[in-house]
Amino acid sequence: MSSMKLLVVDDSNIIRRKIERSADTSCFDVVGLACNGVEALTMLQSTQASVVTMDLTMPEMDGVECVERMVKLKPDTRILVVSALSDVETGILALEKGARGFLCKPFSEQQLNEALSELVEGLDV
Amino acid sequence: MLETLFGKYRNIVISIALFLILDASVLTLNFYISFEIAGDAVDVNLAGRQRMLSQRMVKSLHDINYAEDQSEERQRALDELALTQNLFQTTLGAFDRGGEALGAGGDKVQLEAVNTDPALAAVSRAKQLWAPYSTLIDGVLSSSNDYELERALSSALAYGRKHNLQLLTLMNDLTVELEHVATSKATRLRWIQTVGISLAIINFLIILVHFLGQLKESDRRVERARKETTEILETVGEGLFLLDKNCLISSQYSKVLESMFVRKDLAGLSLEQLLGKVVSDKDLKTAQRFIALLFREEIKSNLVGDLNPLKEIEVNIADNDGRFLTKYFSFTFERVYEAGQIKDILVTVDDISERIRLEKELAVSRAQNEQQLEVLTNILHANPSMLKSYLKQLALSLDKVNDILREPSKSSSSLKKKLHSIFIEIHKVKGEASALNLDSFESLSHQFEKSIQVVLEQANIEGDDFLPLVVKLEELVKHCEFVESLTTKLAQFSDTAAVAPVELRDWSHLYDLTDKVASRTGKQARLVMSGLSELGADSPMAELINNLAVQGIRNAIVHGIEEGEEREQVDKAALGRVELRLLQSNTGELEFVIKDDGHGIDVERIRAQAIKSGRWTEDQLESWSAKQLTSLIFEPGFSTEDSHQLDAGAGVGLDLIKQQVNAMRGRIRIASRRGLGTKISVFLPAINSLKHAA
C-alpha cells in the first residue's frame, strides 16, 4: 500500500509540526504545511493531496471557507477538522460544508492516527 | 427474490411444485388412458362388426344362391359379399398385425395389433378358418359364368355352414376380450385418478398442517420477539428511541422516556416537539444540524462525537404540577444501518443529574478543603490566645449584628441607620481579622461590607433588601463555628493552645498588618511601637487599644503615607513611618498616639468630598474652618477614598474609633501638618490597667 498525500493546515507552527511528526509515515506522506486557507488552496492544487487536516480559526481565510472551496475544487478530498471544542457550531458548519470528521484539540498522537485512518477508510490508494 | 424462494421458503415451494407435478401427471395419464380407452372402444366396435360381417357374408352367399341368374338381386348380393369379405379381411389383418381399417363411419382408423393371449388366440384361430373361407369367397366373386359360380358357391356355402358359427364365436370372443381390456383400462384409470387425487389431497393436507404450523410458529416467534422487545423497552433505564430521516420518533421507545420528559405518546413526535421547551432554541437547532450530519454517508460517525451538542445538557422540564425541574441529560446518537444504508439514528438519553450534582459537590468540597487548609495555615500562624479572644469578640459582634437585623423598623431612614450600625460592626470585624492575618474572615467581612454598600446605594431601602445580608451573616457565623471547631481540634494536638493566655499581650501582629496594608496599597511603611507591651493582656483596655491600633495603622498608610516616588520628590525617605505610642500620665489617664509622616490631612480634598456627598452645600462648607472640615472624617459613611477597598474607602474607620472612644468616655485630638504628617491622640480615662513593673 502506497502512502496517501496529506496536507496539514493550521496557523500554529507548533500544531503543524506536531501533526507532521505524529502522522503514521507508513500510511501518510505529508506533502504540505499551510498556515492559512489561501495557502492551503494553492498547496492542494500543487500537491494534489487527498487528505487534509484543517484548523478552523486562521488569518486570511478561515477553515470553514477553505473547506468549502477545497470541496468545490476537489470533491473527493477527505478533510479532518482539527480544532478546539470552544465552538461546536463552527465545527458543525465545517462538516456541513464538506469536511468528514472532527478531531478536537488537544489530541494525542494515537488519537490523530486513529482519526486519520478512520477518515481514509474505504479510500482507494 | 430467488434467494428467499430457495432459502427461507424452500420447503413450501417444493411442496407446491410436488402438488402441481402430481396433478399434471394425473392429468397426463388421464388424457393418455382416455385416449387409449377411446381407441379400445373403436377396437370393440370393429370386433363386434366382424361378428356381424361373418353373418352378413353367409347371408350374402345364400342371397346369391337364391337370386335369379343374371338378376339385379344377385349382383347386389355379390357386391355385398365383396364389400363384407374386404371389410372382414382388412379388419382381421389390422387386428393381427396392426394397421389401417375402415371405421364404422367409413373413415379410416388405425388399429393396434391385439396383444392379450385370449385375443391373440382368437385372431390366429380366426385367421386359420378365414384363409380357406376367403379363398372360396374369392372363387365365388371371380366366377365368370353361372356354372363356375354354382360350383364355387356350393363349396363356399358348405364351408360357411360348417365354420360360420365357429368364426362368429371367435369374433365374439375377440369382442369380449377387447371389451375386457377396455374395462380393465378404465378401472386402472379410475385407480390412477383415485390414487393421484388422494396423493394430491394428502400433499395439500401436509402443506396445510406443516406450513400452517410453521406460520403459527413464526407468528409465535414474532410475537415473542415483540414481547421481549416491549419488555426490554419497558424495563431499560435509559431513554431509547429511533429517529428517522425526518427527525420523527419511532413507534417503539423505552417507557422511561415518558417519565424523563413527563409526557406520554411520544411516537411520531418530531425531535423539535420533544425538546422544544426543554432545551434552548440554539441547542435544539445545533442538535438538528448534528443529526442531519449523521444521516450523511460520507461523514465518519466516529469522528463527530465531540460535536454532539446534547452530550451534557441542562434541561428544564415542567412536571405534572407545572413546576419546572432542572435536570441534566446526556444524549448519544448511533447510526442504524439496513442493507448498508443509514436507516435511523438510535438515540440514548441518560439522566446524569446525579453525576453532575456529585461533580459540583466535589468541586465545592474541594474548594472548601482548600479554603480550610488556608484557614488552617492562617490559624497556625496566629497567636492562639489572640485568636481565641478574636473568636470570642467575633461571636459577640455577630450576635450584635443579628440583634440589629431583628429590630423592627419601617421607615427608610431607620433602615439606613440599621445598615450603618451593622456596617460599623462588620468593619471592626474586618479590621481585626486583617490585623491577625485571618484572610478568610477578612474576605468574608469584606464581602459583607460590599453587600451593605449595595443596599445603601439604593434610593429606596426596604426590609427585603436585608435578605442578602442575612445570608452573609450566616456565612460568617458558620465560618466562625468552623474555625472554632478547628482550634478545638488543634488544641487536642498541642498543649500550648489549651494553656491559659500568655501574661503579656503580643502586639507583633500589628507589624504584619503594616506590611500587608503597605503592600496592598503599593506603599512602603514600617511600624514603630512603644509602651504597648506594658499593657496587660487582661486589661479591659487591651481590646480597645488593639482596635485603635488596627484602625490607626490602616488609616495612616491608606490616607497618610504617600507612595515611594512621591515621598522622594519631597525629600522624604521612601519608607514611610507609622508610630504607635502608649503613655500613662501621672493621673493614670492613658494616651494612645497614632502618628505618621505622610502628607497630612488634605482639608481641600475633604471639602470637595463633602460637596460631592451632597450633605452640605458649597456655600455652607465655604465658611467652615479647617478644624470643622477635619472633624468630618469622623462622620459615618464619609470617606475621601472613592472606591471601597479592603483597607479603606469604606468611611467607617475613624467613625468606629470615635464611637469606641466615646463609649469609654475618652477624647480624640487630631493634629496634622501638610506634607509632614498626622498625629491622632486618643485620651482614655484612668483605669488601673497598666501592669506595675515588678
Side-chain angles (χ1 to χ4, degrees):
Chain A
M1 172 172 158
S2 67
S3 52
M4 271 166 283
K5 291 179 177 174
L6 172 66
L7 170 63
V8 180
V9 187
D10 201 300
D11 63 341
S12 148
N13 185 28
I14 296 166
I15 302 282
R16 284 201 304 275
R17 296 280 166 221
K18 179 172 180 175
I19 295 175
E20 185 187 21
R21 271 200 323 274
S22 307
D24 181 354
T25 47
S26 65
C27 311
F28 298 101
D29 176 15
V30 178
V31 291
L33 302 171
C35 58
N36 62 53
V38 177
E39 206 174 280
L41 286 172
T42 316
M43 281 193 187
L44 182 75
Q45 280 169 296
S46 62
T47 60
Q48 287 295 305
S50 54
V51 187
V52 179
T53 70
M54 177 73 65
D55 183 21
L56 287 181
T57 43
M58 295 180 294
E60 307 282 329
M61 184 197 290
D62 67 25
V64 174
E65 193 183 338
C66 187
V67 166
E68 195 173 7
R69 290 191 186 209
M70 273 188 177
V71 172
K72 269 209 184 92
L73 214 60
K74 262 186 77 188
D76 55 349
T77 313
R78 305 234 171 173
I79 305 170
L80 177 70
V81 173
V82 180
S83 177
L85 251 191
S86 52
D87 194 7
V88 165
E89 300 268 342
T90 317
I92 288 180
L93 188 60
L95 285 158
E96 284 169 346
K97 297 288 187 200
R100 301 187 185 204
F102 182 93
L103 174 65
C104 95
K105 289 178 188 172
F107 53 87
S108 67
E109 189 171 319
Q110 191 190 351
Q111 284 169 325
L112 175 77
N113 279 306
E114 277 172 5
L116 282 174
S117 64
E118 178 85 25
L119 184 80
V120 300
E121 187 202 29
L123 188 68
D124 294 328
V125 184
Chain B
M1 174 71 199
L2 278 176
E3 273 175 31
T4 44
L5 271 185
F6 292 106
K8 198 169 161 187
Y9 300 123
R10 188 162 150 246
N11 289 345
I12 196 158
V13 166
I14 288 173
S15 298
I16 290 172
L18 206 65
F19 179 77
L20 292 174
I21 288 168
L22 216 62
D23 280 359
S25 318
V26 168
L27 204 65
T28 311
L29 270 169
N30 202 359
F31 189 75
Y32 170 75
I33 294 172
S34 307
F35 193 75
E36 280 213 339
I37 287 172
D40 290 347
V42 170
D43 285 3
V44 170
N45 206 352
L46 292 190
R49 194 181 62 180
Q50 290 292 78
R51 282 186 314 197
M52 182 267 289
L53 286 173
S54 67
Q55 298 316 299
R56 268 174 68 183
M57 270 187 288
V58 174
K59 188 176 171 290
S60 299
L61 286 172
H62 281 292
D63 286 349
I64 297 167
N65 196 19
Y66 295 127
E68 307 253 328
D69 290 347
Q70 305 298 329
S71 66
E72 249 178 65
E73 273 174 45
R74 174 169 282 191
Q75 193 52 48
R76 257 208 307 274
L78 279 169
D79 290 348
E80 167 75 8
L81 181 66
L83 178 78
T84 47
Q85 186 230 20
N86 181 36
L87 262 180
F88 192 91
Q89 171 76 34
T90 51
T91 307
L92 189 63
F95 275 130
D96 180 28
R97 297 179 305 276
E100 260 186 14
L102 217 56
D107 51 321
K108 284 196 172 119
V109 289
Q110 194 71 26
L111 291 189
E112 296 281 320
V114 291
N115 49 11
T116 58
D117 289 343
L120 280 169
V123 168
S124 75
R125 181 85 191 93
K127 264 168 64 188
Q128 285 168 359
L129 286 177
W130 173 250
Y133 194 17
S134 181
T135 313
L136 289 171
I137 290 171
D138 283 340
V140 173
L141 291 173
S142 60
S143 303
S144 52
N145 55 49
D146 290 345
Y147 173 70
E148 270 179 41
L149 181 74
E150 288 295 332
R151 276 191 39 204
L153 192 63
S154 70
S155 25
L157 268 172
Y159 190 91
R161 280 196 201 96
K162 192 176 175 194
H163 295 288
N164 176 38
L165 201 60
Q166 256 183 307
L167 201 59
L168 177 68
T169 309
L170 283 172
M171 287 302 104
N172 192 44
D173 288 350
L174 179 67
T175 308
V176 170
E177 172 58 20
L178 287 176
E179 271 177 348
H180 180 70
V181 167
T183 311
S184 74
K185 274 191 186 165
T187 312
R188 197 159 12 130
L189 177 63
R190 267 199 299 281
W191 269 111
I192 286 170
Q193 282 176 334
T194 310
V195 169
I197 285 168
S198 304
L199 282 176
I201 287 170
I202 288 166
N203 187 343
F204 178 72
L205 287 175
I206 287 173
I207 290 176
L208 213 61
V209 172
H210 178 70
F211 291 104
L212 276 182
Q214 277 202 339
L215 276 176
K216 261 190 180 154
E217 178 55 30
S218 75
D219 279 354
R220 260 202 302 276
R221 271 204 298 269
V222 167
E223 181 56 25
R224 209 169 35 232
R226 204 189 59 78
K227 259 175 104 167
E228 282 168 2
T229 310
T230 309
E231 274 172 20
I232 290 170
L233 289 177
E234 275 180 356
T235 49
V236 75
E238 289 110 352
L240 290 175
F241 60 91
L242 291 169
L243 272 184
D244 62 10
K245 276 197 164 67
N246 305 318
C247 261
L248 297 179
I249 294 169
S250 53
S251 60
Q252 286 201 300
Y253 53 82
S254 63
K255 189 98 181 116
V256 83
L257 199 66
E258 292 187 344
S259 55
M260 281 173 111
F261 286 91
V262 199
R263 64 188 292 185
K264 290 203 169 346
D265 306 326
L266 305 175
L269 287 186
S270 67
L271 190 71
E272 194 169 344
Q273 285 167 310
L274 181 72
L275 297 180
K277 295 193 177 93
V278 173
V279 301
S280 71
D281 285 350
K282 181 172 167 289
D283 285 330
L284 176 64
K285 286 232 161 25
T286 313
Q288 285 170 319
R289 287 171 63 191
F290 176 73
I291 291 163
L293 288 180
L294 289 178
F295 274 110
R296 277 173 41 185
E297 298 278 354
E298 75 275 13
I299 291 203
K300 305 288 180 186
S301 62
N302 294 347
L303 294 179
V304 292
D306 286 339
L307 295 175
N308 172 5
L310 304 181
K311 201 159 34 180
E312 198 174 280
I313 186 102
E314 183 181 307
V315 293
N316 292 295
I317 295 174
D319 67 3
N320 292 324
D321 309 331
R323 280 180 316 211
F324 270 93
L325 306 168
T326 298
K327 290 183 179 174
Y328 290 87
F329 284 177
S330 170
F331 289 74
T332 49
F333 301 91
E334 285 287 338
R335 283 171 173 172
V336 178
Y337 286 90
E338 194 176 72
Q341 301 276 312
I342 302 165
K343 183 172 165 282
D344 292 310
I345 302 287
L346 172 68
V347 187
T348 313
V349 193
D350 252 325
D351 188 339
I352 52 167
S353 309
E354 189 59 15
R355 194 189 86 200
I356 298 284
R357 191 182 62 79
L358 290 173
E359 279 173 6
K360 280 185 174 163
E361 274 181 11
L362 201 63
V364 167
S365 80
R366 200 172 279 145
Q368 269 178 349
N369 284 345
E370 280 168 11
Q371 194 199 358
Q372 287 182 1
L373 205 62
E374 202 181 312
V375 171
L376 198 59
T377 319
N378 269 317
I379 288 173
L380 288 172
H381 281 131
N383 177 306
S385 65
M386 290 186 61
L387 179 65
K388 215 168 169 178
S389 69
Y390 173 76
L391 289 174
K392 209 163 72 185
Q393 275 297 318
L394 177 63
L396 289 172
S397 292
L398 295 178
D399 279 347
K400 195 167 164 186
V401 171
N402 198 25
D403 291 342
I404 297 170
L405 281 170
R406 274 197 190 145
E407 277 168 24
S409 50
K410 287 266 184 331
S411 69
S412 182
S413 61
S414 69
L415 287 172
K416 221 174 187 131
K417 221 161 132 188
K418 264 172 85 165
L419 280 174
H420 275 297
S421 347
I422 295 172
F423 195 101
I424 286 163
E425 206 55 47
I426 295 300
H427 194 68
K428 184 178 79 178
V429 165
K430 179 171 105 174
E432 289 171 343
S434 172
L436 286 173
N437 263 331
L438 296 172
D439 295 346
S440 54
F441 284 110
E442 196 179 358
S443 84
L444 278 174
S445 42
H446 183 65
Q447 298 291 334
F448 201 153
E449 278 185 359
K450 277 195 356 202
S451 305
I452 298 171
Q453 290 276 341
V454 169
V455 182
L456 272 171
E457 278 161 17
Q458 289 175 4
N460 199 358
I461 302 171
E462 291 173 1
D464 283 352
D465 297 332
F466 280 68
L467 280 176
L469 306 188
V470 176
V471 175
K472 294 284 179 216
L473 178 67
E474 184 66 19
E475 280 178 4
L476 261 174
V477 170
K478 274 217 164 76
H479 193 64
C480 180
E481 285 167 357
F482 162 67
V483 174
E484 271 179 338
S485 73
L486 265 185
T487 51
T488 313
K489 277 182 192 157
L490 283 171
Q492 292 166 352
F493 285 105
S494 83
D495 298 332
T496 51
V499 298
V502 284
E503 273 305 294
L504 281 176
R505 194 176 176 115
D506 178 12
W507 299 95
S508 63
H509 62 279
L510 294 176
Y511 292 112
D512 295 341
L513 176 70
T514 308
D515 292 344
K516 198 155 78 172
V517 176
S519 76
R520 267 191 204 149
T521 51
K523 295 172 182 178
Q524 300 172 48
R526 79 188 171 92
L527 178 66
V528 178
M529 290 193 281
S530 61
L532 272 85
S533 55
E534 297 295 308
L535 200 65
D538 54 351
S539 158
M541 288 295 175
E543 212 56 56
L544 176 59
I545 295 292
N546 185 51
N547 287 347
L548 291 175
V550 169
Q551 294 295 345
I553 290 169
R554 290 169 63 191
N555 270 298
I557 298 172
V558 174
H559 299 293
I561 289 176
E562 316 86 332
E563 285 179 15
E565 276 181 36
E566 196 184 327
R567 288 176 68 87
E568 281 168 352
Q569 278 167 4
V570 293
D571 284 342
K572 286 185 188 175
L575 184 64
R577 178 189 155 100
V578 181
E579 191 182 334
L580 299 182
R581 207 165 57 233
L582 187 63
L583 306 160
Q584 191 170 30
S585 70
N586 297 335
T587 54
E589 191 184 48
L590 282 178
E591 184 188 348
F592 184 52
V593 179
I594 305 156
K595 203 171 136 185
D596 67 66
D597 64 347
H599 54 49
I601 292 174
D602 185 344
V603 180
E604 285 314 309
R605 192 179 166 133
I606 294 175
R607 195 195 302 273
Q609 198 66 29
I611 292 167
K612 215 163 148 187
S613 77
R615 292 193 220 176
W616 304 274
T617 64
E618 222 169 314
D619 293 343
Q620 278 176 312
L621 294 165
E622 201 57 50
S623 59
W624 283 24
S625 67
K627 193 175 171 182
Q628 272 177 301
L629 283 168
T630 305
S631 70
L632 278 183
I633 64 176
F634 293 109
E635 278 294 317
F638 186 86
S639 172
T640 54
E641 288 298 322
D642 291 333
S643 63
H644 177 221
Q645 303 147 354
L646 258 176
D647 290 302
V652 289
L654 293 173
D655 174 19
L656 182 75
I657 287 180
K658 192 175 164 195
Q659 265 202 355
Q660 291 181 330
V661 171
N662 288 349
M664 286 277 188
R665 293 192 305 282
R667 305 173 282 117
I668 301 177
R669 187 191 297 159
I670 299 186
S672 171
R673 290 184 64 187
R674 285 303 301 274
L676 292 177
T678 307
K679 176 181 169 188
I680 299 177
S681 307
V682 180
F683 299 95
L684 293 166
I687 298 176
N688 191 13
S689 56
L690 279 180
K691 201 174 143 274
H692 298 291

